[in-house]
Amino acid sequence: MLKRILSGIQPSGKPHIGNYFGAMQQHIALQEIPDSEPLYFIADYHALTTVQDAATLRENVRGVALDYLALGLKPEKSTFFRQSDVPEVQELAWLLAVVTGMGLLERAHSYKDKIAKNIKSSVGLFYYPVLMAADILIYKSNLVPVGQDQVQHIEMCQDMAGHFNQTFKTNIFVRPEARLSATPKVPGTDGEKMSKSYGNTIELQSDEKELKKVIMSIKTDSTPVDQPKNPDTDSIFALYSLFAAEEEKAALAVRYRAGGMGYGDAKKLLLEKVVAYFAPYRKKRAELAAQPEYVEKVLQEGAARARPIARRTLDEAKKACGLI
Ligand code: ADP
Ligand code: TRP
């Protein structure tokens, strides 16, 4: 049976290697799975909870589109679109909201974290998981590839699907499952989870000079150069492991444990890897940036494919609850 794969990414800033190794890399790889139908969208409605300036939002949306295409998203394989070009999702979100208990949303870690980080609390921010559930359910998605921090939202979506089906005595909604990458929680330059909102990111778009500055600033412990170091607790090693082959990883681990190597040397090795890995992406991105009509055409064609699927599910849901 055809497996529908769906994920969204918020245009809330520049993507970093956490987004890449947690989410974007799997999105691109999953295009190649036989019998799958991937749908990826730019979650602009969601980004409005934090980006509240029209020019910035437009620029960010354009940026995410360029990023995905430059990283290898193939429009002939994946349906790629802007969330707001399928407004049906908002109507479905309401139908889910009426069967969603306050308690379910009150337990959301991401809401609590955002409030703790002084992001302005709003009804939209609280309602965010309902809209996310509508995104997933409207396409009857089977698999949702995301990083660790989104898993709770997918569990909430499973609950909402169950509540809706049970309340309205239907089986319209399919139970979606999260799919994690091998590295669902990439550490940032301070050792915490890498995140745009923590200021600890290594951005994909950075050139060598910017990368050098950021990588050299990675926090380390104060073990002296001559002493042995533990690769398993060090973020430089964790980041290097994302790029290196098994033999390279093993070789660096030996140097850590032997002592005599400073963290500065490990940072240089990491820098080389990051620069080389993302060079083709940066080149492709610059080429695509010169073709704005092409990028817009891809998004519009994607929306034209996604919208009929969404319309069909919404009509089924409206019928189930007595609105049609
Ligand atoms: P951010 O926390 O930087 O704002 P987003 O919320 O935009 O990131 O996340 C986009 C995608 O990237 C999500 O699927 C999320 O789970 C994943 N992701 C974000 N940060 C990381 C990380 N440090 N490690 C792994 N995956 C991540
Ligand atoms: N909340 C997700 C994030 O911050 C983005 C998102 C919105 C999403 N709707 C989605 C992810 C549906 C997967 C499925 O990363």
Side-chain angles (χ1 to χ4, degrees), residues 2-7 37-39 41 81 132-145 154 157-158 161 172-178 309 313:
L2 201 67
K3 257 207 169 134
R4 212 169 258 157
I5 299 169
L6 172 115
S7 197
E37 184 184 356
L39 293 104
F41 64 92
F81 59 103
M132 180 161 162
D135 287 326
I136 297 170
L137 298 176
I138 208 161
Y139 300 106
K140 302 197 176 181
S141 316
N142 306 105
L143 268 192
V144 188
I154 295 166
C157 172
Q158 293 168 343
I172 296 170
F173 294 127
V174 174
R175 183 183 163 92
E177 300 296 338
I309 309 175
T313 311

PDB file of all heavy atoms in Angstrom, residues 2-7 37-39 41 81 132-145 154 157-158 161 172-178 309 313:
ATOM      1  N   LEU A   2       0.397   2.283  -0.645  1.00  0.00           N
ATOM      2  CA  LEU A   2       1.134   3.554  -0.704  1.00  0.00           C
ATOM      3  C   LEU A   2       1.271   4.157   0.687  1.00  0.00           C
ATOM      4  O   LEU A   2       0.302   4.232   1.436  1.00  0.00           O
ATOM      5  CB  LEU A   2       0.323   4.505  -1.589  1.00  0.00           C
ATOM      6  CG  LEU A   2       1.090   5.670  -2.203  1.00  0.00           C
ATOM      7  CD1 LEU A   2       2.099   5.156  -3.222  1.00  0.00           C
ATOM      8  CD2 LEU A   2       0.117   6.618  -2.866  1.00  0.00           C
ATOM      9  N   LYS A   3       2.495   4.529   1.045  1.00  0.00           N
ATOM     10  CA  LYS A   3       2.725   5.137   2.355  1.00  0.00           C
ATOM     11  C   LYS A   3       2.845   6.634   2.173  1.00  0.00           C
ATOM     12  O   LYS A   3       3.692   7.098   1.411  1.00  0.00           O
ATOM     13  CB  LYS A   3       4.045   4.626   2.940  1.00  0.00           C
ATOM     14  CG  LYS A   3       3.820   3.615   3.990  1.00  0.00           C
ATOM     15  CD  LYS A   3       4.939   3.559   4.997  1.00  0.00           C
ATOM     16  CE  LYS A   3       4.437   2.704   6.129  1.00  0.00           C
ATOM     17  NZ  LYS A   3       5.178   1.746   6.678  1.00  0.00           N
ATOM     18  N   ARG A   4       2.003   7.374   2.880  1.00  0.00           N
ATOM     19  CA  ARG A   4       2.129   8.827   2.754  1.00  0.00           C
ATOM     20  C   ARG A   4       3.040   9.362   3.848  1.00  0.00           C
ATOM     21  O   ARG A   4       2.846   9.093   5.024  1.00  0.00           O
ATOM     22  CB  ARG A   4       0.749   9.470   2.812  1.00  0.00           C
ATOM     23  CG  ARG A   4       0.730  10.693   1.960  1.00  0.00           C
ATOM     24  CD  ARG A   4      -0.664  11.234   1.769  1.00  0.00           C
ATOM     25  NE  ARG A   4      -1.216  10.898   0.473  1.00  0.00           N
ATOM     26  CZ  ARG A   4      -2.518  10.867   0.233  1.00  0.00           C
ATOM     27  NH1 ARG A   4      -3.391  11.099   1.187  1.00  0.00           N
ATOM     28  NH2 ARG A   4      -2.954  10.607  -0.977  1.00  0.00           N
ATOM     29  N   ILE A   5       4.073  10.085   3.403  1.00  0.00           N
ATOM     30  CA  ILE A   5       5.060  10.654   4.314  1.00  0.00           C
ATOM     31  C   ILE A   5       4.843  12.158   4.334  1.00  0.00           C
ATOM     32  O   ILE A   5       4.721  12.769   3.272  1.00  0.00           O
ATOM     33  CB  ILE A   5       6.475  10.349   3.785  1.00  0.00           C
ATOM     34  CG1 ILE A   5       6.693   8.838   3.718  1.00  0.00           C
ATOM     35  CG2 ILE A   5       7.543  11.034   4.616  1.00  0.00           C
ATOM     36  CD1 ILE A   5       7.937   8.427   2.973  1.00  0.00           C
ATOM     37  N   LEU A   6       4.761  12.730   5.525  1.00  0.00           N
ATOM     38  CA  LEU A   6       4.516  14.179   5.563  1.00  0.00           C
ATOM     39  C   LEU A   6       5.355  14.844   6.631  1.00  0.00           C
ATOM     40  O   LEU A   6       5.517  14.318   7.731  1.00  0.00           O
ATOM     41  CB  LEU A   6       3.035  14.434   5.871  1.00  0.00           C
ATOM     42  CG  LEU A   6       2.744  15.911   6.131  1.00  0.00           C
ATOM     43  CD1 LEU A   6       1.837  16.504   5.076  1.00  0.00           C
ATOM     44  CD2 LEU A   6       2.175  16.140   7.505  1.00  0.00           C
ATOM     45  N   SER A   7       5.894  16.008   6.303  1.00  0.00           N
ATOM     46  CA  SER A   7       6.515  16.804   7.359  1.00  0.00           C
ATOM     47  C   SER A   7       6.482  18.276   6.983  1.00  0.00           C
ATOM     48  O   SER A   7       6.328  18.627   5.806  1.00  0.00           O
ATOM     49  CB  SER A   7       7.956  16.356   7.621  1.00  0.00           C
ATOM     50  OG  SER A   7       8.365  16.875   8.879  1.00  0.00           O
ATOM     51  N   GLU A  37       4.651   8.301  -0.894  1.00  0.00           N
ATOM     52  CA  GLU A  37       4.228   9.565  -1.477  1.00  0.00           C
ATOM     53  C   GLU A  37       4.612  10.668  -0.488  1.00  0.00           C
ATOM     54  O   GLU A  37       3.927  10.877   0.509  1.00  0.00           O
ATOM     55  CB  GLU A  37       2.706   9.530  -1.692  1.00  0.00           C
ATOM     56  CG  GLU A  37       2.215  10.760  -2.385  1.00  0.00           C
ATOM     57  CD  GLU A  37       0.683  10.788  -2.509  1.00  0.00           C
ATOM     58  OE1 GLU A  37       0.010   9.809  -2.122  1.00  0.00           O
ATOM     59  OE2 GLU A  37       0.196  11.821  -2.973  1.00  0.00           O
ATOM     60  N   PRO A  38       5.754  11.330  -0.708  1.00  0.00           N
ATOM     61  CA  PRO A  38       6.179  12.347   0.245  1.00  0.00           C
ATOM     62  C   PRO A  38       5.523  13.706   0.003  1.00  0.00           C
ATOM     63  O   PRO A  38       5.411  14.159  -1.138  1.00  0.00           O
ATOM     64  CB  PRO A  38       7.686  12.446   0.023  1.00  0.00           C
ATOM     65  CG  PRO A  38       8.016  11.626  -1.180  1.00  0.00           C
ATOM     66  CD  PRO A  38       6.761  11.106  -1.769  1.00  0.00           C
ATOM     67  N   LEU A  39       5.090  14.318   1.088  1.00  0.00           N
ATOM     68  CA  LEU A  39       4.578  15.695   1.022  1.00  0.00           C
ATOM     69  C   LEU A  39       5.343  16.517   2.064  1.00  0.00           C
ATOM     70  O   LEU A  39       5.402  16.124   3.234  1.00  0.00           O
ATOM     71  CB  LEU A  39       3.085  15.764   1.377  1.00  0.00           C
ATOM     72  CG  LEU A  39       2.102  15.100   0.422  1.00  0.00           C
ATOM     73  CD1 LEU A  39       1.623  13.782   0.993  1.00  0.00           C
ATOM     74  CD2 LEU A  39       0.919  16.012   0.185  1.00  0.00           C
ATOM     75  N   PHE A  41       5.982  20.568   3.518  1.00  0.00           N
ATOM     76  CA  PHE A  41       5.462  21.929   3.374  1.00  0.00           C
ATOM     77  C   PHE A  41       6.182  22.920   4.287  1.00  0.00           C
ATOM     78  O   PHE A  41       6.795  22.548   5.288  1.00  0.00           O
ATOM     79  CB  PHE A  41       3.951  21.957   3.643  1.00  0.00           C
ATOM     80  CG  PHE A  41       3.581  21.588   5.046  1.00  0.00           C
ATOM     81  CD1 PHE A  41       3.442  22.583   5.999  1.00  0.00           C
ATOM     82  CD2 PHE A  41       3.386  20.273   5.408  1.00  0.00           C
ATOM     83  CE1 PHE A  41       3.104  22.266   7.299  1.00  0.00           C
ATOM     84  CE2 PHE A  41       3.061  19.948   6.711  1.00  0.00           C
ATOM     85  CZ  PHE A  41       2.916  20.934   7.661  1.00  0.00           C
ATOM     86  N   PHE A  81       5.063  22.421  -0.850  1.00  0.00           N
ATOM     87  CA  PHE A  81       4.113  23.543  -0.923  1.00  0.00           C
ATOM     88  C   PHE A  81       4.142  24.392   0.340  1.00  0.00           C
ATOM     89  O   PHE A  81       4.744  24.018   1.341  1.00  0.00           O
ATOM     90  CB  PHE A  81       2.697  22.999  -1.164  1.00  0.00           C
ATOM     91  CG  PHE A  81       2.204  22.052  -0.083  1.00  0.00           C
ATOM     92  CD1 PHE A  81       1.289  22.483   0.869  1.00  0.00           C
ATOM     93  CD2 PHE A  81       2.653  20.740  -0.014  1.00  0.00           C
ATOM     94  CE1 PHE A  81       0.832  21.630   1.869  1.00  0.00           C
ATOM     95  CE2 PHE A  81       2.212  19.875   0.986  1.00  0.00           C
ATOM     96  CZ  PHE A  81       1.301  20.318   1.921  1.00  0.00           C
ATOM     97  N   MET A 132      -1.082  21.570  13.902  1.00  0.00           N
ATOM     98  CA  MET A 132      -0.108  20.565  13.435  1.00  0.00           C
ATOM     99  C   MET A 132      -0.793  19.208  13.216  1.00  0.00           C
ATOM    100  O   MET A 132      -0.506  18.507  12.238  1.00  0.00           O
ATOM    101  CB  MET A 132       1.044  20.446  14.433  1.00  0.00           C
ATOM    102  CG  MET A 132       2.073  19.441  14.026  1.00  0.00           C
ATOM    103  SD  MET A 132       3.637  19.698  14.887  1.00  0.00           S
ATOM    104  CE  MET A 132       4.393  18.103  14.607  1.00  0.00           C
ATOM    105  N   ALA A 133      -1.724  18.859  14.095  1.00  0.00           N
ATOM    106  CA  ALA A 133      -2.464  17.600  13.918  1.00  0.00           C
ATOM    107  C   ALA A 133      -3.294  17.657  12.639  1.00  0.00           C
ATOM    108  O   ALA A 133      -3.377  16.682  11.885  1.00  0.00           O
ATOM    109  CB  ALA A 133      -3.359  17.343  15.131  1.00  0.00           C
ATOM    110  N   ALA A 134      -3.897  18.827  12.371  1.00  0.00           N
ATOM    111  CA  ALA A 134      -4.688  18.968  11.143  1.00  0.00           C
ATOM    112  C   ALA A 134      -3.791  18.799   9.915  1.00  0.00           C
ATOM    113  O   ALA A 134      -4.174  18.145   8.943  1.00  0.00           O
ATOM    114  CB  ALA A 134      -5.385  20.328  11.115  1.00  0.00           C
ATOM    115  N   ASP A 135      -2.566  19.357   9.978  1.00  0.00           N
ATOM    116  CA  ASP A 135      -1.612  19.186   8.868  1.00  0.00           C
ATOM    117  C   ASP A 135      -1.407  17.707   8.557  1.00  0.00           C
ATOM    118  O   ASP A 135      -1.348  17.295   7.401  1.00  0.00           O
ATOM    119  CB  ASP A 135      -0.215  19.705   9.264  1.00  0.00           C
ATOM    120  CG  ASP A 135      -0.121  21.217   9.340  1.00  0.00           C
ATOM    121  OD1 ASP A 135      -0.793  21.891   8.559  1.00  0.00           O
ATOM    122  OD2 ASP A 135       0.658  21.703  10.194  1.00  0.00           O
ATOM    123  N   ILE A 136      -1.240  16.938   9.629  1.00  0.00           N
ATOM    124  CA  ILE A 136      -0.900  15.522   9.458  1.00  0.00           C
ATOM    125  C   ILE A 136      -2.121  14.726   8.993  1.00  0.00           C
ATOM    126  O   ILE A 136      -2.056  13.941   8.050  1.00  0.00           O
ATOM    127  CB  ILE A 136      -0.359  14.951  10.790  1.00  0.00           C
ATOM    128  CG1 ILE A 136       0.936  15.689  11.179  1.00  0.00           C
ATOM    129  CG2 ILE A 136      -0.141  13.438  10.697  1.00  0.00           C
ATOM    130  CD1 ILE A 136       1.448  15.388  12.577  1.00  0.00           C
ATOM    131  N   LEU A 137      -3.272  14.984   9.652  1.00  0.00           N
ATOM    132  CA  LEU A 137      -4.453  14.151   9.397  1.00  0.00           C
ATOM    133  C   LEU A 137      -5.122  14.479   8.067  1.00  0.00           C
ATOM    134  O   LEU A 137      -5.709  13.600   7.436  1.00  0.00           O
ATOM    135  CB  LEU A 137      -5.449  14.289  10.556  1.00  0.00           C
ATOM    136  CG  LEU A 137      -4.902  13.821  11.912  1.00  0.00           C
ATOM    137  CD1 LEU A 137      -5.926  14.088  13.019  1.00  0.00           C
ATOM    138  CD2 LEU A 137      -4.528  12.337  11.880  1.00  0.00           C
ATOM    139  N   ILE A 138      -5.022  15.722   7.636  1.00  0.00           N
ATOM    140  CA  ILE A 138      -5.738  16.105   6.404  1.00  0.00           C
ATOM    141  C   ILE A 138      -5.182  15.361   5.187  1.00  0.00           C
ATOM    142  O   ILE A 138      -5.888  15.151   4.208  1.00  0.00           O
ATOM    143  CB  ILE A 138      -5.739  17.646   6.205  1.00  0.00           C
ATOM    144  CG1 ILE A 138      -6.972  18.079   5.409  1.00  0.00           C
ATOM    145  CG2 ILE A 138      -4.470  18.141   5.503  1.00  0.00           C
ATOM    146  CD1 ILE A 138      -7.343  19.537   5.528  1.00  0.00           C
ATOM    147  N   TYR A 139      -3.903  14.934   5.283  1.00  0.00           N
ATOM    148  CA  TYR A 139      -3.324  14.158   4.177  1.00  0.00           C
ATOM    149  C   TYR A 139      -3.299  12.659   4.496  1.00  0.00           C
ATOM    150  O   TYR A 139      -2.653  11.879   3.796  1.00  0.00           O
ATOM    151  CB  TYR A 139      -1.904  14.662   3.865  1.00  0.00           C
ATOM    152  CG  TYR A 139      -1.924  16.125   3.473  1.00  0.00           C
ATOM    153  CD1 TYR A 139      -1.476  17.120   4.340  1.00  0.00           C
ATOM    154  CD2 TYR A 139      -2.479  16.521   2.256  1.00  0.00           C
ATOM    155  CE1 TYR A 139      -1.545  18.460   4.007  1.00  0.00           C
ATOM    156  CE2 TYR A 139      -2.556  17.867   1.903  1.00  0.00           C
ATOM    157  CZ  TYR A 139      -2.095  18.831   2.794  1.00  0.00           C
ATOM    158  OH  TYR A 139      -2.178  20.161   2.449  1.00  0.00           O
ATOM    159  N   LYS A 140      -3.979  12.265   5.577  1.00  0.00           N
ATOM    160  CA  LYS A 140      -4.001  10.858   6.000  1.00  0.00           C
ATOM    161  C   LYS A 140      -2.584  10.287   6.013  1.00  0.00           C
ATOM    162  O   LYS A 140      -2.306   9.206   5.461  1.00  0.00           O
ATOM    163  CB  LYS A 140      -4.935  10.030   5.112  1.00  0.00           C
ATOM    164  CG  LYS A 140      -6.358  10.603   5.133  1.00  0.00           C
ATOM    165  CD  LYS A 140      -7.401   9.643   4.640  1.00  0.00           C
ATOM    166  CE  LYS A 140      -8.783  10.277   4.792  1.00  0.00           C
ATOM    167  NZ  LYS A 140      -9.880   9.455   4.366  1.00  0.00           N
ATOM    168  N   SER A 141      -1.682  11.029   6.646  1.00  0.00           N
ATOM    169  CA  SER A 141      -0.257  10.674   6.627  1.00  0.00           C
ATOM    170  C   SER A 141       0.015   9.449   7.482  1.00  0.00           C
ATOM    171  O   SER A 141      -0.536   9.304   8.566  1.00  0.00           O
ATOM    172  CB  SER A 141       0.568  11.838   7.172  1.00  0.00           C
ATOM    173  OG  SER A 141       0.113  13.049   6.628  1.00  0.00           O
ATOM    174  N   ASN A 142       0.896   8.577   6.983  1.00  0.00           N
ATOM    175  CA  ASN A 142       1.291   7.398   7.753  1.00  0.00           C
ATOM    176  C   ASN A 142       2.556   7.646   8.567  1.00  0.00           C
ATOM    177  O   ASN A 142       2.662   7.198   9.697  1.00  0.00           O
ATOM    178  CB  ASN A 142       1.557   6.209   6.817  1.00  0.00           C
ATOM    179  CG  ASN A 142       0.388   5.924   5.916  1.00  0.00           C
ATOM    180  OD1 ASN A 142       0.407   6.232   4.725  1.00  0.00           O
ATOM    181  ND2 ASN A 142      -0.666   5.354   6.470  1.00  0.00           N
ATOM    182  N   LEU A 143       3.508   8.360   7.957  1.00  0.00           N
ATOM    183  CA  LEU A 143       4.815   8.561   8.610  1.00  0.00           C
ATOM    184  C   LEU A 143       5.131  10.042   8.676  1.00  0.00           C
ATOM    185  O   LEU A 143       4.958  10.762   7.686  1.00  0.00           O
ATOM    186  CB  LEU A 143       5.911   7.932   7.754  1.00  0.00           C
ATOM    187  CG  LEU A 143       6.323   6.514   7.997  1.00  0.00           C
ATOM    188  CD1 LEU A 143       7.617   6.239   7.237  1.00  0.00           C
ATOM    189  CD2 LEU A 143       6.513   6.218   9.482  1.00  0.00           C
ATOM    190  N   VAL A 144       5.632  10.465   9.837  1.00  0.00           N
ATOM    191  CA  VAL A 144       5.976  11.877   9.999  1.00  0.00           C
ATOM    192  C   VAL A 144       7.440  11.979  10.467  1.00  0.00           C
ATOM    193  O   VAL A 144       7.731  11.812  11.647  1.00  0.00           O
ATOM    194  CB  VAL A 144       5.025  12.560  11.019  1.00  0.00           C
ATOM    195  CG1 VAL A 144       5.250  14.067  11.031  1.00  0.00           C
ATOM    196  CG2 VAL A 144       3.562  12.252  10.711  1.00  0.00           C
ATOM    197  N   PRO A 145       8.366  12.212   9.532  1.00  0.00           N
ATOM    198  CA  PRO A 145       9.779  12.293   9.910  1.00  0.00           C
ATOM    199  C   PRO A 145      10.114  13.635  10.565  1.00  0.00           C
ATOM    200  O   PRO A 145       9.971  14.682   9.939  1.00  0.00           O
ATOM    201  CB  PRO A 145      10.518  12.145   8.572  1.00  0.00           C
ATOM    202  CG  PRO A 145       9.526  12.480   7.510  1.00  0.00           C
ATOM    203  CD  PRO A 145       8.152  12.290   8.069  1.00  0.00           C
ATOM    204  N   ILE A 154       3.240  14.663  17.805  1.00  0.00           N
ATOM    205  CA  ILE A 154       2.663  13.584  16.987  1.00  0.00           C
ATOM    206  C   ILE A 154       1.816  12.658  17.861  1.00  0.00           C
ATOM    207  O   ILE A 154       0.751  12.194  17.446  1.00  0.00           O
ATOM    208  CB  ILE A 154       3.784  12.854  16.218  1.00  0.00           C
ATOM    209  CG1 ILE A 154       4.377  13.878  15.240  1.00  0.00           C
ATOM    210  CG2 ILE A 154       3.257  11.636  15.464  1.00  0.00           C
ATOM    211  CD1 ILE A 154       5.674  13.499  14.628  1.00  0.00           C
ATOM    212  N   CYS A 157      -1.384  14.298  18.198  1.00  0.00           N
ATOM    213  CA  CYS A 157      -2.149  14.123  16.954  1.00  0.00           C
ATOM    214  C   CYS A 157      -2.828  12.749  16.943  1.00  0.00           C
ATOM    215  O   CYS A 157      -4.003  12.627  16.553  1.00  0.00           O
ATOM    216  CB  CYS A 157      -1.203  14.285  15.766  1.00  0.00           C
ATOM    217  SG  CYS A 157      -1.932  13.867  14.193  1.00  0.00           S
ATOM    218  N   GLN A 158      -2.113  11.733  17.423  1.00  0.00           N
ATOM    219  CA  GLN A 158      -2.719  10.384  17.483  1.00  0.00           C
ATOM    220  C   GLN A 158      -3.951  10.427  18.386  1.00  0.00           C
ATOM    221  O   GLN A 158      -4.996   9.843  18.064  1.00  0.00           O
ATOM    222  CB  GLN A 158      -1.702   9.380  18.044  1.00  0.00           C
ATOM    223  CG  GLN A 158      -0.514   9.135  17.128  1.00  0.00           C
ATOM    224  CD  GLN A 158       0.622   8.379  17.816  1.00  0.00           C
ATOM    225  OE1 GLN A 158       0.675   8.299  19.043  1.00  0.00           O
ATOM    226  NE2 GLN A 158       1.536   7.835  17.034  1.00  0.00           N
ATOM    227  N   ALA A 161      -6.841  12.227  16.617  1.00  0.00           N
ATOM    228  CA  ALA A 161      -7.440  11.378  15.576  1.00  0.00           C
ATOM    229  C   ALA A 161      -8.401  10.380  16.234  1.00  0.00           C
ATOM    230  O   ALA A 161      -9.535  10.187  15.775  1.00  0.00           O
ATOM    231  CB  ALA A 161      -6.346  10.640  14.813  1.00  0.00           C
ATOM    232  N   ILE A 172     -12.312   7.884   9.673  1.00  0.00           N
ATOM    233  CA  ILE A 172     -11.672   8.715   8.648  1.00  0.00           C
ATOM    234  C   ILE A 172     -10.177   8.844   8.871  1.00  0.00           C
ATOM    235  O   ILE A 172      -9.381   8.740   7.943  1.00  0.00           O
ATOM    236  CB  ILE A 172     -12.255  10.155   8.694  1.00  0.00           C
ATOM    237  CG1 ILE A 172     -13.717  10.159   8.334  1.00  0.00           C
ATOM    238  CG2 ILE A 172     -11.479  11.087   7.778  1.00  0.00           C
ATOM    239  CD1 ILE A 172     -14.372  11.488   8.605  1.00  0.00           C
ATOM    240  N   PHE A 173      -9.803   9.072  10.154  1.00  0.00           N
ATOM    241  CA  PHE A 173      -8.407   9.426  10.379  1.00  0.00           C
ATOM    242  C   PHE A 173      -7.524   8.216  10.631  1.00  0.00           C
ATOM    243  O   PHE A 173      -7.861   7.326  11.404  1.00  0.00           O
ATOM    244  CB  PHE A 173      -8.282  10.447  11.513  1.00  0.00           C
ATOM    245  CG  PHE A 173      -8.893  11.765  11.145  1.00  0.00           C
ATOM    246  CD1 PHE A 173      -9.838  12.373  11.944  1.00  0.00           C
ATOM    247  CD2 PHE A 173      -8.530  12.392   9.955  1.00  0.00           C
ATOM    248  CE1 PHE A 173     -10.411  13.575  11.582  1.00  0.00           C
ATOM    249  CE2 PHE A 173      -9.095  13.600   9.577  1.00  0.00           C
ATOM    250  CZ  PHE A 173     -10.040  14.191  10.397  1.00  0.00           C
ATOM    251  N   VAL A 174      -6.393   8.244   9.953  1.00  0.00           N
ATOM    252  CA  VAL A 174      -5.390   7.191  10.028  1.00  0.00           C
ATOM    253  C   VAL A 174      -4.419   7.568  11.152  1.00  0.00           C
ATOM    254  O   VAL A 174      -4.127   8.740  11.338  1.00  0.00           O
ATOM    255  CB  VAL A 174      -4.620   7.183   8.684  1.00  0.00           C
ATOM    256  CG1 VAL A 174      -3.452   6.232   8.704  1.00  0.00           C
ATOM    257  CG2 VAL A 174      -5.556   6.902   7.531  1.00  0.00           C
ATOM    258  N   ARG A 175      -3.916   6.570  11.897  1.00  0.00           N
ATOM    259  CA  ARG A 175      -2.973   6.861  12.970  1.00  0.00           C
ATOM    260  C   ARG A 175      -1.565   7.084  12.392  1.00  0.00           C
ATOM    261  O   ARG A 175      -0.977   6.174  11.795  1.00  0.00           O
ATOM    262  CB  ARG A 175      -2.962   5.689  13.953  1.00  0.00           C
ATOM    263  CG  ARG A 175      -2.074   5.888  15.152  1.00  0.00           C
ATOM    264  CD  ARG A 175      -2.100   4.624  15.999  1.00  0.00           C
ATOM    265  NE  ARG A 175      -0.988   4.602  16.913  1.00  0.00           N
ATOM    266  CZ  ARG A 175      -1.041   5.073  18.162  1.00  0.00           C
ATOM    267  NH1 ARG A 175      -2.150   5.583  18.626  1.00  0.00           N
ATOM    268  NH2 ARG A 175       0.020   5.034  18.926  1.00  0.00           N
ATOM    269  N   PRO A 176      -1.026   8.284  12.567  1.00  0.00           N
ATOM    270  CA  PRO A 176       0.321   8.549  12.031  1.00  0.00           C
ATOM    271  C   PRO A 176       1.395   8.109  13.015  1.00  0.00           C
ATOM    272  O   PRO A 176       1.157   8.055  14.222  1.00  0.00           O
ATOM    273  CB  PRO A 176       0.342  10.076  11.916  1.00  0.00           C
ATOM    274  CG  PRO A 176      -0.542  10.532  13.045  1.00  0.00           C
ATOM    275  CD  PRO A 176      -1.582   9.463  13.256  1.00  0.00           C
ATOM    276  N   GLU A 177       2.564   7.769  12.519  1.00  0.00           N
ATOM    277  CA  GLU A 177       3.689   7.422  13.399  1.00  0.00           C
ATOM    278  C   GLU A 177       4.847   8.381  13.134  1.00  0.00           C
ATOM    279  O   GLU A 177       5.102   8.750  11.989  1.00  0.00           O
ATOM    280  CB  GLU A 177       4.189   5.985  13.115  1.00  0.00           C
ATOM    281  CG  GLU A 177       3.152   4.895  13.330  1.00  0.00           C
ATOM    282  CD  GLU A 177       2.668   4.759  14.778  1.00  0.00           C
ATOM    283  OE1 GLU A 177       3.384   5.198  15.699  1.00  0.00           O
ATOM    284  OE2 GLU A 177       1.550   4.215  14.972  1.00  0.00           O
ATOM    285  N   ALA A 178       5.548   8.752  14.213  1.00  0.00           N
ATOM    286  CA  ALA A 178       6.737   9.587  14.066  1.00  0.00           C
ATOM    287  C   ALA A 178       7.870   8.732  13.517  1.00  0.00           C
ATOM    288  O   ALA A 178       7.920   7.531  13.762  1.00  0.00           O
ATOM    289  CB  ALA A 178       7.150  10.150  15.412  1.00  0.00           C
ATOM    290  N   ILE A 309      -6.407  16.666  -2.142  1.00  0.00           N
ATOM    291  CA  ILE A 309      -6.367  15.618  -1.104  1.00  0.00           C
ATOM    292  C   ILE A 309      -6.971  16.196   0.179  1.00  0.00           C
ATOM    293  O   ILE A 309      -7.801  15.567   0.850  1.00  0.00           O
ATOM    294  CB  ILE A 309      -4.908  15.160  -0.805  1.00  0.00           C
ATOM    295  CG1 ILE A 309      -4.174  14.792  -2.090  1.00  0.00           C
ATOM    296  CG2 ILE A 309      -4.893  14.008   0.208  1.00  0.00           C
ATOM    297  CD1 ILE A 309      -2.679  14.455  -1.884  1.00  0.00           C
ATOM    298  N   THR A 313     -10.526  15.076   2.387  1.00  0.00           N
ATOM    299  CA  THR A 313     -10.569  14.682   3.807  1.00  0.00           C
ATOM    300  C   THR A 313     -11.449  15.634   4.595  1.00  0.00           C
ATOM    301  O   THR A 313     -12.226  15.220   5.465  1.00  0.00           O
ATOM    302  CB  THR A 313      -9.145  14.681   4.420  1.00  0.00           C
ATOM    303  OG1 THR A 313      -8.289  13.974   3.556  1.00  0.00           O
ATOM    304  CG2 THR A 313      -9.141  14.059   5.804  1.00  0.00           C
TER     305      THR A 313
END
